[in-house]
């Protein structure tokens, strides 16, 4: 009786933490003293893991539960009168076990998806791997539809609709469906577009798996740190991008005479400034055979000769750009996280 009362108290405290926004407020205000307190940790562990202390034995238990889930689930659907089956049912109701099972499921899906993209991509039909992925994606669609119905019934549609991860799930389902439909089309354009969309879907799946790993204490903190680093780095990315565009345009305008506007030409203009950030200085660019004959350099036989002004001025411009972008800004960015 005392243990039941204690469990009820912990459950009530957990509902206060989660449903009334106390935990969210502590996270938003970065109240580490509150988050690191033993009482809060024990309450959260009780909610997530079913125990106040998490050990290696607990982690092994969760792994075994996830591994035998596909075997135990049919038994739970038939009968839960036995004490062992009731124990399994209680364990499968834990939040961490649910996330862990989903994470393993995503891992299996990613392995199958990778195999399909690399070794089993058939432009003229649907393979067995495709059928497996289609069934899995259909289950995602059913699950997301169920979440929408529950959100509407509970009056939480707004919360559901502004959640980026829910939007990512629907985007992933939509992209995969579009990619598979385009795969059935005839022509090279359909096949290329289909494969590109399926690869974007694979990227979304990997991102979703990373989100699941936030549940673990080992990886979750690292991902939170990475997210904060991205926010801090975005300002430097904007600054470096502006300086890179300035250098690339100035360098090419001095180095070459007027060129025709093409996307390939734009790529060539920006390539020099971009790869210099990673140490490729193109120091031997002026020591190669070249030609001023437009027909020859457009055919790719020889490169186009630079202008006389560019040969003398651009090395100094390159040195200044290397000092500004590579030495100063990148080293300042590295120093921020030391």
């Amino acid at each position: 009786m005392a243990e039941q009362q204690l469990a009820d108290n912990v459950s009530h405290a957990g509902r206060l933490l989660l449903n009334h926004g106390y935990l969210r407020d502590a996270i938003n205000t970065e109240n580490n003293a509150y988050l690191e307190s033993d009482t809060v940790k024990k309450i959260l562990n009780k909610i997530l893991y079913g125990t106040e202390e998490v050990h290696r034995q607990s982690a092994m238990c969760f792994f075994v539960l996830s591994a035998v889930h596909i075997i135990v689930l049919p038994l739970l659907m038939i009968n839960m009168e036995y004490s062992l089956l009731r124990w399994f049912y209680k364990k499968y109701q834990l939040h961490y076990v649910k996330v862990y099972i989903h994470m393993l499921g995503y891992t299996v899906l990613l392995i199958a998806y990778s195999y399909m993209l690399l070794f089993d991509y058939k432009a003229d039909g649907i393979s067995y791997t495709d059928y497996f992925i289609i069934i899995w994606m259909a289950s995602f669609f059913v699950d997301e539809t169920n979440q929408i119905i529950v959100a509407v019934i509970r009056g939480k549609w707004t919360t559901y609709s502004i959640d980026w991860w829910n939007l990512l799930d629907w985007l992933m389902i939509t992209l995969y469906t579009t990619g598979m439909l385009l795969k059935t089309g005839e022509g090279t354009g359909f096949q290329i577009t289909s494969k590109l969309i399926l690869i974007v879907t694979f990227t979304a799946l990997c991102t979703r798996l990373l989100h699941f790993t936030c549940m673990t204490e080992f990886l979750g903190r690292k991902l939170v740190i990475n997210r904060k680093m991205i926010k801090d780095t975005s300002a430097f990315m904007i600054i470096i991008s502006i300086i890179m565009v300035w250098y690339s345009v100035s360098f090419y305008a001095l180095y070459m005479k007027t060129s025709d506007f093409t996307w390939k030409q734009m790529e060539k203009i920006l390539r020099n400034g971009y790869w210099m950030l990673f140490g490729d200085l193109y120091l031997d660019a002026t020591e190669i055979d070249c030609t001023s004959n437009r027909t020859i350099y457009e055919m790719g036989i020889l490169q186009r000769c630079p202008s006389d002004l560019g040969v003398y001025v651009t090395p100094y411009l390159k040195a200044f750009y290397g000092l500004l972008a590579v030495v100063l800004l990148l080293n300042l960015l590295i120093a921020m996280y030391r």
Side-chain angles (χ1 to χ4, degrees):
M1 188 67 180
E3 293 180 356
Q4 180 65 33
Q5 185 177 2
L6 180 60
D8 292 340
N9 292 335
V10 171
S11 179
H12 178 67
R15 287 193 295 270
L16 289 176
L17 282 175
L18 299 178
N19 297 338
H20 291 268
Y22 298 151
L23 185 63
R24 174 59 58 186
D25 292 339
I27 294 174
N28 292 336
T29 58
E30 297 184 357
N31 190 345
N32 294 326
Y34 179 82
L35 296 174
E36 295 292 336
S37 65
D38 293 335
T39 303
V40 174
K41 282 186 175 181
K42 289 181 179 180
I43 293 174
L44 292 178
N45 286 341
K46 189 68 176 179
I47 295 173
L48 298 176
Y49 307 106
T51 178
E52 295 183 357
E53 299 292 338
V54 181
H55 307 286
R56 290 185 178 180
Q57 293 82 356
S58 302
M60 183 60 65
C61 177
F62 295 144
F63 177 78
V64 174
L65 286 170
S66 302
V68 301
H69 175 256
I70 194 172
I71 301 174
V72 177
L73 183 60
L75 299 177
L76 294 177
M77 296 173 64
I78 297 173
N79 188 356
M80 287 196 304
E81 294 181 358
Y82 297 103
S83 58
L84 180 60
L85 292 177
R86 286 198 299 270
W87 180 84
F88 272 108
Y89 178 78
K90 290 180 180 179
K91 290 296 182 182
Y92 286 135
Q93 293 301 308
L94 295 175
H95 297 288
Y96 184 80
V97 176
K98 292 179 180 179
V99 174
Y100 199 84
I101 292 173
H102 277 289
M103 187 168 61
L104 289 181
Y106 263 93
T107 304
V108 173
L109 176 61
L110 282 176
I111 294 173
Y113 205 103
S114 303
Y115 178 81
M116 181 271 294
L117 289 175
L118 295 173
F119 309 111
D120 201 22
Y121 182 83
K122 295 182 179 180
D124 55 349
I126 298 178
S127 63
Y128 290 110
T129 310
D130 287 326
Y131 284 118
F132 175 78
I133 298 173
I134 289 172
I135 293 173
W136 211 295
M137 284 294 182
S139 68
F140 287 159
F141 175 78
V142 173
D143 182 61
E144 288 298 323
T145 304
N146 180 62
Q147 290 184 34
I148 290 179
I149 295 173
V150 173
V152 172
I153 293 175
R154 295 180 178 179
K156 295 184 178 181
W157 162 249
T158 304
T159 304
Y160 176 89
S161 61
I162 63 176
D163 191 311
W164 286 104
W165 296 109
N166 292 329
L167 298 177
L168 179 64
D169 289 339
W170 281 109
L171 177 64
M172 180 177 61
I173 295 171
T174 304
L175 287 175
Y176 179 76
T177 305
T178 305
M180 292 303 294
L181 290 176
L182 290 175
K183 187 178 178 181
T184 60
E186 297 181 359
T188 307
F190 283 102
Q191 301 304 323
I192 293 175
T193 307
S194 171
K195 194 156 192 179
L196 289 175
I197 292 176
L198 291 176
I199 290 174
V200 173
T201 307
F202 180 73
T203 305
L205 282 170
C206 293
T207 305
R208 203 66 174 91
L209 181 60
L210 281 176
H211 180 243
F212 277 122
T213 58
C214 289
M215 187 75 174
T216 63
E217 185 178 359
F218 178 70
L219 295 176
R221 294 182 178 182
K222 279 74 174 178
L223 292 173
V224 172
I225 292 173
N226 287 336
R227 185 175 60 187
K228 292 183 178 180
M229 287 177 62
I230 291 174
K231 291 181 180 179
D232 296 335
T233 309
S234 59
F236 280 90
M237 295 296 293
I238 295 173
I239 295 172
I240 291 178
S241 298
I242 294 173
I243 295 176
M244 183 194 71
V245 172
W246 158 76
Y247 167 75
S248 299
V249 173
S250 302
F251 178 89
Y252 207 84
L254 291 170
Y255 197 67
M256 293 293 180
K257 297 179 181 179
T258 305
S259 304
D260 296 332
F261 176 80
T262 60
W263 290 112
K264 186 176 182 180
Q265 191 68 28
M266 292 297 297
E267 179 186 354
K268 187 183 297 184
I269 292 171
L270 296 175
R271 181 174 57 193
N272 189 19
Y274 179 80
W275 289 113
M276 266 195 67
L277 296 173
F278 301 95
D280 195 345
L281 303 180
Y282 292 95
L283 295 178
D284 57 346
T286 58
E287 300 177 359
I288 58 176
D289 295 332
C290 61
T291 181
S292 298
N293 190 313
R294 181 169 183 171
T295 304
I296 295 177
Y297 66 69
E298 284 186 350
M299 292 177 62
I301 300 175
L302 291 175
Q303 292 193 17
R304 184 182 178 185
C305 287
S307 64
D308 294 335
L309 177 63
V311 171
Y312 291 106
V313 176
T314 53
Y316 300 99
L317 182 65
K318 180 178 292 187
F320 179 72
Y321 173 70
L323 177 65
L324 180 64
V326 179
V327 177
L328 294 181
L329 286 179
L330 291 184
N331 281 281
L332 179 62
L333 180 62
I334 295 171
M336 281 183 58
Y337 303 111
R338 287 186 176 179

